[in-house]
């Protein structure tokens, strides 16, 4: 899948956040980073720059075809449970029973690109 982008496009996407993953903020490498679709292609997302973000392997694997909000809760759970992942029904149950709070899951987790936006005043 990563082969569909030109070198120039990959380099541009890579440098969007200074060589960091747009989601978790980890450092990524030009050779191995993933070009991530914010809106999944299966949901009509395009290959425009607006819809592309640089991503590390872990975030790419976790996000799959989730929307940004579905991914937010999954990444938050992953970060506060040391890598455990749940399916949608389990997450709903955890949320409904207040267990997300008990687990210390930050449901308002900010993605790296969101914290960058605040800093830059980017329109
Ligand atoms: Zn990441």
């Amino acid at each position: 899948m990563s082969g569909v982008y030109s070198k120039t496009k990959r380099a541009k996407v890579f440098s969007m956040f200074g060589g960091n993953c747009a989601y978790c903020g980890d450092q990524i490498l030009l050779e191995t980073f993933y070009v991530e679709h914010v809106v999944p292609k299966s949901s009509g997302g395009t290959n425009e720059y607006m819809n592309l973000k640089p991503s590390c392997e872990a975030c790419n694997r976790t996000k799959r075809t989730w929307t940004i909000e579905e991914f937010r809760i999954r990444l938050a759970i992953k970060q506060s449970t040391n890598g455990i992942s749940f399916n949608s029904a389990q997450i709903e149950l955890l949320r409904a029973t207040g267990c997300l709070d008990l687990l210390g899951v930050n449901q308002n987790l900010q993605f790296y690109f969101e914290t960058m936006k605040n800093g830059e005043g980017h329109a």
Side-chain angles (χ1 to χ4, degrees), residues 1 5 35-47 51-52 63-68 70:
M1 283 299 272
Y5 302 101
V35 177
E36 240 298 315
H37 290 85
V38 180
V39 178
K41 283 178 99 173
S42 55
S43 305
T46 68
N47 282 334
N51 191 43
L52 300 177
K63 186 171 180 296
R64 294 186 287 172
T65 57
W66 303 119
T67 66
I68 204 90
E70 289 168 331

Side-chain angles (χ1 to χ4, degrees), residues 48-60:
E48 309 274 321
Y49 285 114
M50 265 182 58
N51 191 43
L52 300 177
K53 297 241 183 299
S55 163
C56 70
E57 192 190 347
C59 286
N60 182 265

